[in-house]
Amino acid sequence: MRLDEYRRKREFKKTPEPIGEEGSEAGNRFIVHKHQASHLHYDFRLEMEGVLKSWAVPKGVPVEPGVRRLAVQVEDHPIEYIDFAGTIPEGEYGAGTVEIWDKGNFEISKKTSDQLEFTLKGEKLSGDYVLIHTDKNNWLLLKRKIKEK
Ligand code: MN
């Protein structure tokens, strides 16, 4: 059911993207797709609740602390999408190239209805991050400064 919107937007005879199924609740992987669609953006996805919770980040996930980026929540994607890279044909939803920009694991330290705090361990991204819900589908994604010890 959570994948209804994902499936409704796509024509699986035409796109190489997976139809997918809802997975198990467990899992702690993240991925960032670089998506050269009509506008270049980065899709940040966290494996949660049997799907990939997904945000489109126009300017990319911050690598440096103190940088805030708009992250627009988009439809949940199937877990299988974590391995997806390829070209979505012209005329299809999200047409353009999708490549894996970074991947790794994450660990949640705090979760409320409008805030998610987590640590990323990837190749390009590592450290403490926060997603803060602002309004509608809009969130702010920021990297925390390293705490003084
Ligand atoms: Mn995208």
Side-chain angles (χ1 to χ4, degrees):
M1 281 183 288
R2 281 199 226 97
L3 296 175
D4 282 356
E5 185 179 351
Y6 172 84
R7 289 176 176 163
R8 196 169 55 239
K9 286 179 168 173
R10 290 168 175 81
E11 191 75 63
F12 293 101
K13 285 179 180 154
K14 295 179 181 167
T15 180
E17 295 167 289
I19 295 173
E21 286 175 19
E22 279 183 44
S24 66
E25 300 288 306
N28 66 338
R29 293 173 296 170
F30 82 88
I31 188 144
V32 180
H33 281 119
K34 182 179 181 180
H35 188 179
Q36 181 65 69
S38 49
H39 294 280
L40 173 67
H41 62 274
Y42 294 79
D43 290 300
F44 178 58
R45 311 189 196 281
L46 297 173
E47 185 176 20
M48 291 174 76
E49 301 161 14
V51 293
L52 295 177
K53 294 286 173 190
S54 297
W55 290 262
V57 187
K59 294 187 174 176
V61 180
V63 176
E64 298 297 327
V67 179
R68 306 162 150 243
R69 292 281 162 81
L70 170 68
V72 181
Q73 189 167 17
V74 298
E75 74 275 17
D76 294 344
H77 281 49
I79 300 290
E80 290 94 318
Y81 211 94
I82 209 157
D83 296 315
F84 177 72
T87 300
I88 302 168
E90 201 63 38
E92 297 308 302
Y93 182 72
T97 57
V98 177
E99 56 187 280
I100 294 170
W101 184 81
D102 197 19
K103 61 181 174 179
N105 296 318
F106 74 100
E107 191 181 341
I108 291 176
S109 51
K110 189 181 171 191
K111 185 174 185 265
T112 66
S113 58
D114 57 5
Q115 190 156 328
L116 190 62
E117 301 185 15
F118 50 93
T119 304
L120 295 181
K121 289 194 183 85
E123 286 167 27
K124 291 178 177 145
L125 300 174
S126 68
D128 296 335
Y129 284 79
V130 190
L131 266 167
I132 303 160
H133 186 214
T134 55
D135 68 326
K136 295 179 183 160
N137 294 332
N138 298 328
W139 296 65
L140 277 177
L141 174 57
L142 60 96
K143 183 174 183 182
R144 278 203 197 285
K145 295 199 170 83
I146 297 158
K147 291 185 194 99
E148 301 284 333
K149 296 228 168 134

